[in-house]
Amino acid sequence: MAYFPEITSPIQFEGKGSRNPLAFKYYEANRKIGSKTMAEHLRFAVCYWHTFRGVGSDPFGIGTMDRSWAAAPDPLQRAKDTMDAAFEFFTKLGVDLWCFHDTDISPEGNDLTEYAKNLDEIVAYAEEKQREHNVKLLWGTANLFSNPRYQAGASTNPDPHVFATAATQVKHALEATHRLGGAGYVFWGGREGYDTLWNTKMQQEREQFAALLHMAVAHKKKIGFDGPFYIEPKPKEPTKHQYDSDVAACLNFLREFDLMEHLKLNIETNHATLAGHSMQHELRSAREAGALGSIDANTGDELIGWDTDQFPTNLYLTTQIMLEVLAMGGFTTGGLNFDAKVRRQSHESVDLFYAHIGGMDAFARGLEIAHTIVEDGRLDRFVEERYSGWNGDLGQKILARTATLDECEAFALANGEPTRKSGRQEFLENLINEFM
Ligand code: XUL
Ligand code: CO
């Protein structure tokens, strides 16, 4: 049975002149940009939760989505139907990576024993599907935020019994990821924060979170999983404050608890916005710390101000993202995971195709533009020139931390008032527009 009958053959590249809304205008998987193909640069992944399990509910209304795969009354059958729909979608879209939470793919059951049994059965099913469709797993994760037991957090819960339950889920989700050949594993601490400090031991909760991560590192070694762990910053929502609130807070947390060598960051645009940063800022902060791992590709709405997880279509955004990805030398284990959902009014299954095609085209165009900016070299040359004074003797001594305040004073007195130089912001913004 086909769950997307309106898509009769895989989505094709038709080029910029095409008027077919179900074709790529820019994304041409095998076209080379520099030394790699577009597919190799972009490493697109489809997320399971929004795409196949999202119902379109919001705080004011129930779900709206028409999803033919969600009809079977038996939960395991429904999970298998959903997986059939997912792999049909990946193949028709032409994306060969996916991401999931344990509870997206498999029913939780009535207790942890049933949870583990169901997950086992569904992972076996997914293994077959991956083989049959030639699809790989970008990353897996555990949902430690939806079940009511996690209302006060998972690893950061005041009750160690809840910690142990969360740790059990992490163990199984990590083993499932390993079994499916996942390239990485994500920790997003949805409720690892607080709603009010009146009832919270903040430092202890941060220590508990670190303890879980250390246990996961030990377990990863034990089972032989060699992909990286990623931590995904987000400042709030659902909690008032999340401990891994932005890249800087995550880096501080990882350094404080000796986790730097074990985790990289998975950075999401709408989370950056909620933290009051640009995506460019968050990516730059992680990249320059050598900790940029993977990206959750989406965008927010300037006027709504929640985590709306919309599909990215803004070319300035995708260009800035791809400039950072190129600057780090490209993804290794990471990729661009569409952690994005169609709007509540886009309730037909075909809308999932429009959404992903648009996101993929926006990133393909962003990649082309970023590559041209790098090749052109004017932007890089401007920045190099702006800092060129630091190549001199004084600059080198300051950076090596061998200069003293006395030496600085001697230099300043001998050389008089410094000459001011324009930062040329408008000139550079115009330069970027040459490439858009
Ligand atoms: C929530 C979010 C998550 C993580 C995985 O805002 O981004 O879906 O990506 O748990
Ligand atoms: Co995400």
Side-chain angles (χ1 to χ4, degrees):
M1 139 160 206
Y3 291 101
F4 300 97
E6 54 281 82
I7 313 296
T8 50
S9 59
I11 304 298
Q12 300 295 317
F13 169 76
E14 292 184 6
K16 202 176 159 193
S18 166
R19 291 289 171 268
N20 176 2
L22 288 167
F24 295 116
K25 313 294 186 302
Y26 297 100
Y27 179 63
E28 199 178 357
N30 293 320
R31 180 149 71 87
K32 282 235 168 135
I33 302 284
S35 59
K36 291 197 284 190
T37 65
M38 279 193 167
E40 288 164 344
H41 276 289
L42 297 164
R43 289 177 55 80
F44 289 126
V46 173
C47 87
Y48 211 89
W49 50 103
H50 292 312
T51 307
F52 308 108
R53 299 298 310 281
V55 295
S57 57
D58 70 13
F60 301 93
I62 59 167
T64 58
M65 299 295 157
D66 286 346
R67 299 292 185 245
S68 54
W69 53 85
D74 173 54
L76 269 171
Q77 188 55 51
R78 196 157 65 236
K80 288 180 183 171
D81 293 348
T82 303
M83 195 155 286
D84 290 345
F87 279 80
E88 181 188 329
F89 183 81
F90 305 151
T91 302
K92 287 184 169 174
L93 183 64
V95 164
D96 60 2
L97 291 166
W98 65 303
C99 297
F100 69 83
H101 299 83
D102 50 354
T103 59
D104 304 332
I105 58 171
S106 162
E108 284 195 68
N110 293 315
D111 55 30
L112 280 181
T113 312
E114 253 189 75
Y115 156 84
K117 189 170 156 286
N118 289 346
L119 189 60
D120 232 39
E121 182 169 339
I122 294 298
V123 168
Y125 195 71
E127 247 179 326
E128 255 174 64
K129 290 254 134 194
Q130 287 195 154
R131 228 186 337 264
E132 190 188 318
H133 290 256
N134 207 6
V135 164
K136 293 189 167 64
L137 181 63
L138 183 67
W139 51 258
T141 186
N143 178 329
L144 305 179
F145 42 89
S146 295
N147 191 299
R149 72 167 81 96
Y150 299 126
Q151 65 185 32
S155 68
T156 61
N157 201 283
D159 182 356
H161 188 162
V162 179
F163 180 108
T165 310
T168 308
Q169 256 187 273
V170 168
K171 174 174 134 87
H172 286 277
L174 183 53
E175 288 171 3
T177 301
H178 183 41
R179 198 167 144 197
L180 291 170
Y185 183 90
V186 163
F187 290 88
W188 171 64
R191 295 188 195 273
E192 309 296 37
Y194 59 80
D195 293 327
T196 170
L197 278 176
W198 294 125
N199 64 13
T200 302
K201 287 192 175 181
M202 187 159 74
Q203 183 60 4
Q204 172 165 332
E205 291 201 359
R206 294 175 69 247
E207 282 168 20
Q208 292 173 205
F209 190 12
L212 177 75
L213 295 175
H214 276 290
M215 282 181 197
V217 168
H219 197 70
K220 158 182 158 162
K221 288 187 184 141
K222 179 174 159 191
I223 63 175
F225 177 70
D226 55 14
F229 283 165
Y230 306 116
I231 187 164
E232 184 176 322
K234 184 175 181 181
K236 57 188 170 195
E237 199 188 300
T239 53
K240 173 194 176 77
H241 176 86
Q242 212 172 290
Y243 298 131
D244 48 9
S245 54
D246 63 2
V247 170
C250 282
L251 292 173
N252 177 57
F253 174 83
L254 297 176
R255 288 181 181 124
E256 181 176 350
F257 295 106
D258 293 323
L259 287 159
M260 225 15 218
E261 64 177 297
H262 302 297
L263 284 101
K264 289 192 170 345
L265 281 89
N266 181 42
I267 300 177
E268 176 166 326
T269 309
N270 208 160
H271 297 178
T273 321
L274 290 179
H277 301 306
S278 66
M279 182 62 164
Q280 190 183 24
H281 169 93
E282 288 293 80
L283 292 173
R284 182 77 59 91
S285 305
R287 175 173 69 76
E288 292 192 331
L292 176 52
S294 201
I295 291 175
D296 271 4
N298 67 15
T299 193
D301 182 296
E302 276 170 34
L303 300 181
I304 293 183
W306 349 307
D307 193 16
T308 53
D309 286 334
Q310 290 168 226
F311 277 83
T313 52
N314 182 318
L315 300 185
Y316 285 94
L317 172 67
T318 59
T319 298
Q320 287 170 350
I321 292 175
M322 292 317 297
L323 276 169
E324 295 299 327
V325 172
L326 292 178
M328 77 158 175
F331 290 119
T332 49
T333 51
L336 289 169
N337 168 47
F338 286 112
D339 188 352
K341 57 187 182 221
V342 289
R343 300 302 84 200
R344 197 165 185 273
Q345 296 184 54
S346 307
H347 64 281
E348 296 175 15
S349 303
V350 70
D351 289 308
L352 293 171
F353 277 91
Y354 294 130
H356 284 84
I357 290 169
M360 290 165 74
D361 264 347
F363 269 98
R365 187 77 191 103
L367 168 63
E368 284 178 335
I369 297 168
H371 177 75
T372 316
I373 291 172
V374 174
E375 291 276 282
D376 172 81
R378 277 178 289 167
L379 180 66
D380 279 347
R381 276 200 301 278
F382 177 88
V383 177
E384 282 312 313
E385 166 57 28
R386 186 162 187 243
Y387 287 83
S388 58
W390 289 90
N391 299 331
D393 289 344
L394 178 73
Q396 289 295 301
K397 268 192 105 175
I398 295 172
L399 289 175
R401 290 197 215 136
T402 55
T404 62
L405 291 182
D406 290 331
E407 284 173 85
C408 287
E409 183 186 36
F411 183 93
L413 290 176
N415 288 280
E417 221 14 68
T419 320
R420 290 183 304 126
K421 279 191 193 152
S422 168
R424 300 262 188 267
Q425 179 168 336
E426 300 77 10
F427 166 92
L428 292 170
E429 285 165 350
N430 299 348
L431 175 68
I432 296 298
N433 268 356
E434 269 185 42
F435 300 96
M436 298 308 293

